[in-house]
Amino acid sequence: MNTPLLSVCLITYNHENYIRQAIESVLMQKVNFDWELIIAEDCSTDTTRAIVLEYKEKYPDFIKLILQEKNVGPAKNWKNLIETPKSKYIAYFEGDDYWTDPLKLQKQIDFLEFNPDYVLCFHQVNLLKPNGEIVDDFITKVPENYETIETLARLGNYIHTPSVVFRNIIISFPTEFEQSPMGDYFLYMLLAQDGKLKYLKEKMAIYREGVGIWSAKSEYLRNLNTAYTHALIVSCNHFDNPVSLVLLDRISLFLKAYENQIGKENLNLLNTCTKVNDCIYNYFLNKNKTNLSETIQMKSSKELIKEVLLRIKKRLWNK
């Protein structure tokens, strides 16, 4: 069999209520190229595995399975999946979402084939609310200057996973990639170093709102995971200094918003490298300088700095 032009990568865990619709939305695609479907199943506790095995039996040449022997978690399962294809392009989505346009893949592949300066193509989606209502996307807003890595770094993830087709150009992922709670955003940042992003204003997929692990997290935890992902991206040293500085600024904004909630354990989590360490340290240094200015006005600047540093060390890293 020839190497397929496109690999559809579908990640799933405990999606028994949704996985059939996800797979059927792949099978309905009309394309004029060789392709395959790869499903990574993370040892579900429901009937998800039985369902994907059923489809594998029906389509043995088209469907490939990655069946984890034990639950490895979404990060490792995702990494195993995304590193498997040898194809030129990858389309990725999760087992609780599905596609609605049978020409979705053809449209995106056609664009990428004729526009080599673009590394990723994404599109509008509709949201399926828990009550069954399908509505316009109210979660993300795609900015005007969406194509560049600088915008992606500054504004965060405005790309829904079921909308993505990208060039399979990453030879090896940094070790930090598997640690990231936002593997999709990390992936888009890696890709955006080598080209532009294209947004198609066609609604060709459904994203289930309020279903996934990410949706279930509190606002603080979502923002902590975002800041942690930024810290990991900075730590991997794959990015130019201006991009890293933008990500460090976003970490500082997280600290400003949640400085009264974040504890030593979470601060240690963010402390992925010297650059992030300095960012955290400088934030609290400047913050404490302001807070202490009235109470220790009579002290010398040297004494002031010493007292501030002792307070920061006690809060962040001293046992």
Side-chain angles (χ1 to χ4, degrees):
M1 180 180 175
N2 295 330
T3 301
L5 183 69
L6 168 73
S7 297
V8 176
C9 290
L10 176 59
I11 189 171
T12 186
Y13 174 72
N14 282 0
H15 287 150
E16 64 179 0
N17 294 327
Y18 315 120
I19 190 64
R20 289 186 186 277
Q21 191 169 23
I23 295 174
E24 290 293 339
S25 76
V26 177
L27 296 174
M28 78 170 185
Q29 293 296 305
K30 299 176 181 179
V31 300
N32 62 9
F33 48 78
D34 291 332
W35 62 314
E36 65 183 353
L37 170 60
I38 306 174
I39 305 174
E41 200 287 310
D42 195 17
C43 205
S44 298
T45 58
D46 61 10
T47 62
T48 299
R49 177 160 295 194
I51 294 170
V52 300
L53 286 170
E54 172 191 326
Y55 275 95
K56 170 64 175 176
E57 187 175 353
K58 290 181 180 178
Y59 304 94
D61 298 326
F62 177 65
I63 296 177
K64 297 179 181 178
L65 299 181
I66 299 173
L67 302 176
Q68 304 292 358
E69 295 182 1
K70 62 179 182 179
N71 182 258
V72 298
K76 184 172 179 56
N77 195 35
W78 143 267
K79 187 168 183 285
N80 290 161
L81 174 62
I82 220 72
E83 289 180 331
T84 297
K86 305 301 181 185
S87 52
K88 185 176 180 180
Y89 300 104
I90 294 176
Y92 167 76
F93 73 124
E94 301 178 10
D96 53 354
D97 301 322
Y98 62 95
W99 298 334
T100 55
D101 186 339
L103 298 177
K104 164 194 154 64
L105 295 179
Q106 187 68 58
K107 293 173 184 177
Q108 291 180 278
I109 292 297
D110 286 346
F111 176 84
L112 291 170
E113 283 283 87
F114 287 101
N115 295 276
D117 52 331
Y118 286 81
V119 292
L120 182 150
C121 179
F122 67 109
H123 57 76
Q124 279 190 325
V125 304
N126 284 120
L127 302 185
L128 178 58
K129 301 180 73 173
N131 65 4
E133 182 184 5
I134 295 177
V135 298
D136 291 335
D137 180 13
F138 56 82
I139 295 176
T140 60
K141 182 178 180 180
V142 179
E144 288 186 10
N145 187 27
Y146 67 84
E147 293 188 335
T148 68
I149 189 171
E150 290 81 7
T151 303
L152 191 62
R154 180 168 51 85
L155 298 182
N157 192 7
Y158 42 81
I159 302 172
H160 278 292
T161 52
S163 75
V164 169
V165 175
F166 62 91
R167 295 186 189 276
N168 188 13
I169 56 175
I170 300 175
I171 298 173
S172 64
F173 288 91
T175 56
E176 292 85 355
F177 182 76
E178 190 174 326
Q179 300 171 255
S180 174
M182 295 173 61
D184 52 355
Y185 179 63
F186 203 139
L187 171 67
Y188 307 154
M189 287 290 293
L190 290 171
L191 290 167
Q193 296 176 103
D194 294 309
K196 296 184 290 185
L197 315 176
K198 176 62 179 179
Y199 177 53
L200 302 179
K201 295 182 179 181
E202 297 181 63
K203 298 174 182 178
M204 298 189 284
I206 293 288
Y207 173 82
R208 291 183 194 269
E209 188 260 335
V211 171
I213 295 174
W214 185 255
S215 300
K217 293 183 182 297
S218 69
E219 182 180 1
Y220 169 73
L221 286 177
R222 286 197 297 270
N223 283 283
L224 172 64
N225 283 339
T226 300
Y228 180 40
T229 299
H230 293 151
L232 289 169
I233 294 173
V234 172
S235 178
C236 76
N237 280 324
H238 278 228
F239 297 87
D240 294 336
N241 196 48
V243 173
S244 292
L245 289 175
V246 171
L247 296 173
L248 290 170
D249 284 342
R250 296 198 68 197
I251 294 172
S252 294
L253 289 174
F254 167 77
L255 296 173
K256 182 178 181 179
Y258 294 99
E259 64 180 77
N260 294 325
Q261 289 179 249
I262 189 168
K264 189 175 89 170
E265 182 179 350
N266 288 159
L267 285 170
N268 281 330
L269 178 71
L270 294 180
N271 184 26
T272 58
C273 64
T274 302
K275 287 181 180 179
V276 179
N277 185 330
D278 291 344
C279 170
I280 297 171
Y281 206 71
N282 288 332
Y283 173 81
F284 283 107
L285 176 62
N286 292 329
K287 180 70 178 177
N288 279 276
K289 275 184 183 178
T290 302
N291 290 344
L292 292 175
S293 61
E294 294 183 2
T295 60
I296 51 179
Q297 285 178 357
M298 301 305 295
K299 297 189 177 185
S300 68
S301 59
K302 185 174 181 180
E303 290 174 321
L304 171 61
I305 294 296
K306 183 177 180 180
E307 183 162 343
V308 170
L309 294 181
L310 285 172
R311 292 190 183 198
I312 298 171
K313 284 184 178 181
K314 184 175 180 181
R315 178 172 181 183
L316 280 92
W317 294 290
N318 280 5
K319 294 183 179 179

